[in-house]
Amino acid sequence: MAESVRSDGKGDDRIENLIAARKSLKLSLEKSKSLGLALKKAGPILDEMKQRLPSLEAAVRPIRADKEALVAAGGHINRAIGPAAAVLKVFDAVHGLEKSLLSDPRNDLPGYLSVIKRLEEALRFLGGNCGLAIQWLEDIVEYLEDNVMADERHLSNLKKSLKGLRELQSDDERAHLDGGLLNAALDKLEGEFRRLLTEHSVPLPMSSSSTLAEQAVIAPSQLPVPVIHKLQAILGRLRTNNRLEKCISIYVEVRSSNVRASLRALDLDYLEISLAEFNDVQSIEGYIAQWGKHLEFAVKHLFEAEYKLCNDVFERLGLDVWMGCFSKIAAQAGILAFLQFGKTVTESKKDPIKLLKLLDIFASLNKLRLDFNRLFGGAACIEIQNLTRDLIRRVIDGAAEIFWELLVQVDLQRQIPPPPDGNVPILVSIITEYCNKLLGDNYKPILSQVLVIHRSWKHEKFQEKILVGEVLNIIKAIVLNLETWKNAYEDTILSNLFAMNNHYHLYKHLKGTKVGDLLGDSWFREHDRCKDQYAEIFLRESWGKLPGHLSREGLILFSGGRATARDLVKKRLKTFNEAFDEMYKKQSSWVVPDRDLREKICQQIVQAVVPIYRSYMQNYGPLVELDGSSNKYAKYSVQALEQMLSSLFLPKPGRYASFKGRQLSDKFNNGVADLRRTTSAVV
């Protein structure tokens, strides 16, 4: 059996083959397993390689580009890199100035201005060369794109960046080149301009208690020369950067505020009075006098100084600039308020005193005419010029209208009843003083000039004799009024008192005046004679009749005894007392306004009555003094009687106005008097 197996050697071979096959399969499985693991690990690497293939392809693309294009690309790149590198270098330098420009300019103003100038130069370079650098960069991008020498994604990013740079080239965006550094520096420069002005703008040292004549002479330039030079240097830089208007605005604000502070001590609140706050010029008469002085002071002291200072500070910028600046200062500091006040006066109600106040305003403006023409004559001051011309026209028109209406108004007053107390009518008081003033040294030249101008506007000529003739006609009209009023009294005694008062008033208040010189001595002699004549008639017809009641007839050679004499004395004293009481009661309401004339008349009355009364009482008083009813007949002592007569004709306090009084008429415009409202002008 064994032999048969051994003899069969082929069986062994098959086993070995099986073993070998098994080993081979096992090795193959292990290799397959290793290969699977290797393939598993290679997957992410392949994915990464797949992702990198486009960039690798783009990187090797130039190698595939045309040889001539590759050679030319170098030149394009070099031309683009040069300007771009220069721009970047300057841009870095700009940021190097930041620390200096954010410091305080007052520490070193010249150095600060120098740094700003360097920044301006750098920005000009950037503004001029950024465009060139961008153009070259755009060219190289276009070249790379045309020759397919760069990745499209990279080219797109480059185009986007270049587009942003190109937008910065516009005027609106150019400021971003320095990140706003220049604007910040200019803001600081404006702040330094304001500081220099504010610290050296000091109001004039004035006191409201001192007069304008006591103030300093015309103020010199209130800024030191070194400060002016600094301001000019700052203006130069700000003007270069289109900030001149802001600078002028700061200057006007500070300097106009300084002028207002100087004027504040003068108490100019009255300039704000509106037309509705007063009805006649009398209520603000004092303010008008102050107005002329204050205006002259403001023009000659304050605006003159500002005019010179504007010229000093802005002279390098031209006449239009500094004149425009001065015009704004003058307007904001108060010149317009002065002119508006004058206009308000011209719009108030017309009355006689308003003529004098208008002439005062004209005189003030005329006195400052050359100063106004020099200070406010430029085109920049057109508003001030227009307001001044309008005010002058209103003043001249108003003054001329009132003057030519005076005679008409005097004539119209003739219809008004005379004063019930025999006083001098307000109209007479006003007109006499008025005419004296109009022909006086102060007002006559001014009124003549006003009338000359007013007539010239109508292409008419004016001569002085016209003014004089008109004033004399007014006086003649007053005299005619007095005669009419005298005849209007029912009581002839009061009529004579009225005539005495008024003839004396004309005599006293016109004698020795310019008007009086024109009227002549004979005119005054006539009025003096009339005064004495009417005084004599008044005394004779009134108090002169009183002593007649104290007749001694029948008392010297009486035959009826003591009782009969006593009855006769009682009767005559009773009649005297009744006549005295009646006359005193009536005349105690009458007025003699002139003190000298009043004392003279009272003395004459005393002399006419008291001595006779004293003698009568000394001789016959004892006859009634022992009687139980003596007080009924011996009613007045001699001293009481004299005191009563001496106190007659006193003016009533506050009842009668002076020259500063009431308007002649509410209707000057049409020349028709409102009789109900103008009665007070006479009485």
Side-chain angles (χ1 to χ4, degrees):
M1 185 67 178
E3 186 178 344
S4 59
V5 173
R6 286 193 301 266
S7 61
D8 189 9
K10 293 181 181 179
D12 292 336
D13 292 337
R14 284 194 292 270
I15 292 172
E16 289 177 359
N17 288 335
L18 287 172
I19 293 172
R22 184 177 67 84
K23 289 180 179 181
S24 177
L25 287 172
K26 186 178 181 180
L27 182 60
S28 295
L29 287 172
E30 290 176 353
K31 286 182 178 181
S32 296
K33 187 177 181 180
S34 297
L35 182 60
L37 291 173
L39 289 173
K40 187 177 181 180
K41 291 180 179 181
I45 296 175
L46 291 174
D47 291 339
E48 182 180 353
M49 290 178 65
K50 184 178 181 181
Q51 292 176 0
R52 292 178 61 187
L53 279 176
S55 59
L56 291 174
E57 182 181 1
V60 299
R61 186 175 299 164
I63 300 175
R64 301 199 306 268
D66 183 82
K67 181 179 180 181
E68 293 180 358
L70 288 173
V71 173
H76 283 285
I77 293 173
N78 289 336
R79 284 193 296 273
I81 293 301
V87 167
L88 289 175
K89 184 177 181 180
V90 172
F91 191 75
D92 289 339
V94 165
H95 285 280
L97 303 176
E98 184 173 348
K99 182 178 180 181
S100 299
L101 293 176
L102 295 181
S103 64
D104 195 335
R106 78 172 70 185
N107 298 328
D108 180 15
L109 182 60
Y112 194 87
L113 293 172
S114 176
V115 174
I116 288 183
K117 190 173 182 180
R118 288 168 55 194
L119 175 60
E120 292 170 359
E121 293 172 351
L123 292 178
R124 280 195 296 272
F125 177 85
L126 290 176
N129 289 275
C130 276
L132 179 63
I134 293 171
Q135 182 62 53
W136 283 112
L137 289 173
E138 288 176 340
D139 288 346
I140 189 59
V141 169
E142 183 179 353
Y143 184 85
L144 293 175
E145 185 178 29
D146 292 343
N147 291 277
V148 195
M149 298 177 65
D151 179 58
E152 292 182 1
R153 184 160 52 98
H154 288 171
L155 289 176
S156 176
N157 291 336
L158 282 174
K159 288 180 180 179
K160 185 176 180 180
S161 298
L162 290 174
K163 181 180 180 182
L165 290 175
R166 180 65 72 184
E167 290 174 351
L168 289 176
Q169 288 300 105
S170 66
D171 292 337
D172 295 336
E173 300 293 336
R174 190 167 293 179
H176 293 301
L177 289 173
D178 64 342
L181 182 59
L182 179 60
N183 282 334
L186 295 177
D187 289 342
K188 284 185 170 292
L189 212 51
E190 287 178 355
E192 177 64 5
F193 187 85
R194 180 185 291 275
R195 185 193 70 81
L196 287 170
L197 273 177
T198 303
E199 291 186 0
H200 294 89
S201 294
V202 182
L204 288 181
M206 299 190 300
S207 172
S208 57
S209 60
S210 61
T211 63
L212 294 181
E214 296 172 348
Q215 303 296 347
V217 295
I218 294 179
S221 172
Q222 298 179 12
L223 299 183
V225 174
V227 173
I228 292 177
H229 290 165
K230 289 182 179 180
L231 294 176
Q232 289 175 335
I234 293 175
L235 281 170
R237 292 267 57 84
L238 292 174
R239 184 192 189 191
T240 301
N241 290 278
N242 299 319
R243 289 213 184 187
L244 181 59
E245 288 302 318
K246 180 64 179 300
C247 224
I248 290 176
S249 176
I250 294 172
Y251 185 90
V252 170
E253 175 191 343
V254 174
R255 294 304 300 179
S256 61
S257 175
N258 190 66
V259 175
R260 289 196 300 272
S262 297
L263 290 172
R264 201 168 293 129
L266 299 180
D267 191 14
L268 300 178
D269 291 344
Y270 67 87
L271 294 179
E272 303 301 323
I273 293 178
S274 65
L275 183 61
E277 292 179 88
F278 67 92
N279 292 321
D280 54 56
V281 176
Q282 183 184 356
S283 63
I284 59 167
E285 182 181 359
Y287 291 141
I288 296 175
Q290 293 182 40
W291 177 85
K293 296 177 181 178
H294 291 162
L295 177 61
E296 180 178 0
F297 180 81
V299 170
K300 288 186 174 294
H301 289 248
L302 302 178
F303 294 129
E304 176 73 27
E306 294 305 319
Y307 181 86
K308 293 179 178 179
L309 187 58
C310 279
N311 183 27
D312 291 342
V313 174
F314 294 96
E315 62 177 342
R316 299 177 184 176
L317 304 181
L319 179 65
D320 292 343
V321 173
W322 72 263
M323 278 298 293
C325 187
F326 169 71
S327 171
K328 294 175 182 176
I329 292 174
Q332 294 185 21
I335 188 65
L336 300 182
F338 277 104
L339 298 175
Q340 180 58 47
F341 176 83
K343 180 182 178 182
T344 301
V345 174
T346 66
E347 294 174 341
S348 64
K349 290 183 179 179
K350 295 181 175 67
D351 55 30
I353 198 173
K354 181 177 177 179
L355 172 56
L356 300 182
K357 298 302 103 183
L358 291 177
L359 295 179
D360 287 339
I361 292 175
F362 178 83
S364 296
L365 293 173
N366 193 51
K367 185 178 181 180
L368 297 172
R369 179 170 54 86
L370 295 179
D371 297 286
F372 263 73
N373 290 340
R374 179 171 52 85
L375 298 180
F376 309 117
C381 298
I382 189 65
E383 181 182 10
I384 298 175
Q385 295 169 27
N386 290 338
L387 289 175
T388 304
R389 281 193 290 266
D390 179 64
L391 174 57
I392 292 174
R393 177 171 290 277
R394 286 171 174 270
V395 167
I396 292 175
D397 283 340
E401 182 182 1
I402 295 175
F403 177 74
W404 295 118
E405 284 288 341
L406 283 175
L407 180 58
V408 175
Q409 293 302 314
V410 171
D411 289 340
L412 289 172
Q413 299 301 307
R414 201 169 299 145
Q415 308 169 47
I416 308 302
D421 55 7
N423 201 347
V424 176
I426 293 176
L427 175 69
V428 177
S429 300
I430 289 175
I431 293 300
T432 51
E433 186 175 354
Y434 208 57
C435 291
N436 282 334
K437 288 180 178 292
L438 292 181
L439 292 187
D441 294 335
N442 291 333
Y443 284 106
K444 183 180 177 182
I446 303 172
L447 179 57
S448 297
Q449 187 175 359
V450 166
L451 295 178
V452 167
I453 296 173
H454 189 258
R455 287 253 174 143
S456 69
W457 291 345
K458 299 180 179 180
H459 306 289
E460 300 175 358
K461 292 184 178 181
F462 178 82
Q463 296 179 346
E464 184 177 312
K465 65 180 181 180
I466 298 177
L467 168 59
V468 173
E470 187 70 10
V471 172
L472 293 181
N473 287 336
I474 293 172
I475 297 296
K476 293 176 183 177
I478 284 291
V479 174
L480 184 57
N481 282 17
L482 292 177
E483 192 64 27
T484 303
W485 290 329
K486 173 183 173 297
N487 296 329
Y489 285 103
E490 295 182 1
D491 189 330
T492 57
I493 297 176
L494 178 58
S495 173
N496 288 311
L497 179 75
F498 170 82
M500 175 196 71
N501 278 333
N502 285 275
H503 281 286
Y504 183 71
H505 179 86
L506 294 178
Y507 178 89
K508 181 176 181 179
H509 290 274
L510 293 177
K511 183 73 173 177
T513 65
K514 299 290 185 181
V515 177
D517 294 341
L518 295 170
L519 291 170
D521 292 338
S522 61
W523 190 90
F524 286 99
R525 284 195 298 269
E526 177 63 20
H527 282 278
D528 191 36
R529 184 192 65 78
C530 288
K531 179 261 299 181
D532 292 338
Q533 176 185 342
Y534 288 119
E536 181 183 350
I537 297 173
F538 166 76
L539 288 169
R540 185 176 67 244
E541 297 297 325
S542 58
W543 298 101
K545 293 182 177 181
L546 196 60
H549 296 294
L550 299 176
S551 173
R552 299 180 183 227
E553 183 180 352
L555 295 177
I556 299 176
L557 299 174
F558 59 86
S559 59
R562 190 176 185 87
T564 302
R566 182 185 299 113
D567 291 339
L568 192 57
V569 170
K570 285 182 178 180
K571 181 178 179 180
R572 290 176 180 174
L573 282 176
K574 180 181 179 182
T575 303
F576 174 87
N577 290 336
E578 289 174 350
F580 177 85
D581 288 344
E582 180 183 358
M583 194 174 301
Y584 184 83
K585 180 180 179 181
K586 180 168 62 174
Q587 295 195 20
S588 62
S589 63
W590 296 357
V591 172
V592 177
D594 184 82
R595 179 179 177 179
D596 293 337
L597 181 60
R598 181 173 63 252
E599 291 178 352
K600 181 179 179 180
I601 292 298
C602 288
Q603 186 61 34
Q604 289 176 349
I605 294 174
V606 169
Q607 290 174 358
V609 176
V610 173
I612 296 175
Y613 183 76
R614 180 188 294 111
S615 176
Y616 194 83
M617 292 304 293
Q618 287 175 349
N619 291 321
Y620 307 110
L623 292 175
V624 297
E625 287 174 355
L626 297 177
D627 192 283
S629 58
S630 61
N631 291 337
K632 182 178 180 180
Y633 303 103
K635 187 175 182 179
Y636 299 105
S637 67
V638 174
Q639 293 78 9
L641 195 69
E642 183 175 358
Q643 184 177 1
M644 291 173 69
L645 293 175
S646 298
S647 62
L648 282 169
F649 312 126
L650 291 173
K652 306 304 181 288
R655 185 175 178 184
Y656 300 98
S658 67
F659 173 68
K660 299 176 181 180
R662 309 161 192 168
Q663 63 193 52
L664 293 181
S665 171
D666 287 339
K667 297 186 177 181
F668 266 76
N669 290 335
N670 56 21
V672 178
D674 184 338
L675 301 183
R676 290 173 299 175
R677 300 191 62 181
T678 55
T679 301
S680 61
V682 178
V683 302

